[in-house]
Amino acid sequence: WKKQFEALKSCHLQNGHSRPSTKKKGSSHISLGRWVKIQRYNFRNRKLSEVQINLLESIEGWQWEIR
């Protein structure tokens, strides 16, 4: 989880947003975009720890709901 979170922070710094493509593969063979989607799903289903929620929310512009 931490490795993907760090990749998301890097993505945010490089691109100015935390909505990575679901088509690019990360080092763990899951796309970063898909990992982000899973975190949002897990949040809605109360499967994230408070620490994980706080870490994700520490990224400027983080959104739980994407429209």
Side-chain angles (χ1 to χ4, degrees), residues 9-35:
K9 285 194 330 186
S10 293
C11 175
H12 176 74
L13 288 173
Q14 291 174 359
N15 302 306
H17 61 80
S18 54
R19 294 168 57 179
S21 170
T22 57
K23 296 181 179 168
K24 292 182 181 177
K25 296 289 182 185
S27 60
S28 65
H29 303 293
I30 180 172
S31 73
L32 186 57
R34 180 156 187 225
W35 181 84

Side-chain angles (χ1 to χ4, degrees), residues 35-67:
W35 181 84
V36 168
K37 185 176 180 178
I38 290 168
Q39 301 320 299
R40 290 184 173 117
Y41 173 84
N42 287 341
F43 175 77
R44 286 191 305 274
N45 290 289
R46 301 177 188 240
K47 294 182 178 183
L48 291 179
S49 71
E50 187 173 334
V51 170
Q52 291 170 322
I53 292 168
N54 290 336
L55 284 170
L56 289 167
E57 289 178 346
S58 74
I59 299 173
E60 185 179 342
W62 173 260
Q63 297 176 343
W64 290 111
E65 296 289 328
I66 300 297
R67 295 185 185 250

